[in-house]
Amino acid sequence: MLPRKTIYWSTTLQSVKNSLLLHGGVGSDSSLSAVLHEYARKAFRKDSSLHSVVNATVAMEDDPVFNAGTGSYQRIDGSIQMDAAVMTETGFGSVIGIERIRNPVKLALDVMQKTPHLIMAGDGALRLARLLGYEEYDPDTKKAQEQRAKVMNELDSPEAAKNPRYSPFKRMGDISKLILPEDTVGAVACIKGKFAAAVSTGGATPMLRGRVGDSPIPGAGIFCGTKGAVVATGIGEEIIKHMLCISVYNEIGSKSLPRILQEKASDFEGPVGLIAIDREGYSYFSSKPMAVGFISEEME
Ligand code: GLY
């Protein structure tokens, strides 16, 4: 049972074929859904779920409103390190802690399609990006600078010890309670019977340099197989502990998708959101407002 005081944002199952669903992160302003519908419309490819989810994620990475690509949050030291992943029924690629490129999700796709590896991190990932022609790009924004300044002020204040979001960070204990609720963009699709998923994030602030969230970890922030595709948003540490996306995926077919999402998300104390698609249709669920966009072949 869900805690009674919690309000959830969800949809019932939408049974449509050849569709693409995207989200702008748990905590994102749901009035942005109109923007995401437009991104979905432009990203949709009738012949490829993989290209549809990557195109949609690139559009959100390029929009500074969202915490991915341009607009990614800064770490405590002021740096920006981004994580991204793509997954199909047969392939996976992700990048961890990538810096100074514009579209981490494109590099995740290149890891999957152009290297013998599944996951690339840090300076090796950056070297790969430059080898493949990714130009130097600074994803920093005024929004990220102001957000970090605010977090640093709050961490420094005498009240921080009493603030459940900050006191654990001061002790370097459980950092999960510190994390602000808006993060991560993601997309899932089923087109011509094939599933795909993509995710990208600037991380969940406040965070140390080198911290890795759920997004680039298969089974945690992303999962895709022959039964469906799932992407999560929320506190990366919590999502990893629950291996949230594979846990949702494993239940596909046993009950309705909305029910699976609701049951899995109700285990979380912190903000969490899920989007998923199976052979019956798509659904989403989040514990705070979350912008979502959608397109199907029928709507074109
Ligand atoms: N959910 C994104 C992160 O925790 O990094």
Side-chain angles (χ1 to χ4, degrees), residues 83 179 183-184 201-204 211-215 232-237 239:
D83 299 333
I179 291 167
D183 82 324
T184 312
T201 187
R211 174 264 186 191
V212 180
D214 57 296
S215 302
T233 163
I235 300 168
E237 285 73 7
I239 293 170

Side-chain angles (χ1 to χ4, degrees), residues 152-165:
M152 298 312 284
N153 272 340
E154 287 174 4
L155 270 171
D156 265 353
S157 75
E159 284 76 46
K162 288 178 258 156
N163 181 332
R165 259 177 48 209

Side-chain angles (χ1 to χ4, degrees), residues 228-284:
V230 191
V231 166
T233 163
I235 300 168
E237 285 73 7
E238 283 299 303
I239 293 170
I240 293 168
K241 279 187 220 161
H242 285 76
M243 289 307 275
L244 183 59
C245 287
I246 195 164
S247 150
V248 168
Y249 179 84
N250 283 341
E251 301 231 350
I252 288 176
S254 68
K255 53 188 101 161
S256 79
L257 198 53
R259 189 160 155 217
I260 298 168
L261 300 190
Q262 178 173 348
E263 285 177 3
K264 294 295 174 186
S266 65
D267 282 351
F268 280 71
E269 277 180 31
V272 64
L274 283 160
I275 58 172
I277 192 160
D278 68 8
R279 298 216 176 270
E280 306 302 317
Y282 77 83
S283 184
Y284 61 84

Side-chain angles (χ1 to χ4, degrees), residues 21-62:
L21 173 66
L22 44 153
H23 77 78
V26 63
S28 57
D29 185 345
S30 37
S31 69
L32 291 167
S33 293
V35 175
L36 294 194
H37 281 305
E38 185 56 16
Y39 289 163
R41 196 182 62 74
K42 288 190 178 147
F44 188 74
R45 294 286 172 276
K46 279 181 185 158
D47 56 348
S48 171
S49 51
L50 177 60
H51 287 109
S52 296
V53 294
V54 170
N55 291 345
T57 305
V58 166
M60 293 186 282
E61 285 179 339
D62 284 344

Side-chain angles (χ1 to χ4, degrees), residues 87-151:
M87 192 161 185
T88 62
E89 297 170 26
T90 53
F92 179 81
S94 78
V95 288
I96 291 178
I98 188 74
E99 299 179 76
R100 306 200 318 273
I101 68 165
R102 179 167 168 173
N103 292 115
V105 75
K106 284 190 184 172
L107 187 58
L109 180 66
D110 280 337
V111 170
M112 181 174 101
Q113 292 184 328
K114 297 182 180 168
T115 80
H117 307 306
L118 298 177
I119 303 176
M120 293 287 294
D123 71 319
L126 185 57
R127 260 189 258 173
L128 174 71
R130 297 287 180 252
L131 181 73
L132 295 174
Y134 287 72
E135 288 175 5
E136 174 82 26
Y137 180 82
D138 185 357
D140 197 13
T141 55
K142 197 160 174 271
K143 173 193 89 171
Q145 291 160 15
E146 288 172 355
Q147 195 274 343
R148 175 170 171 268
K150 180 172 174 284
V151 166

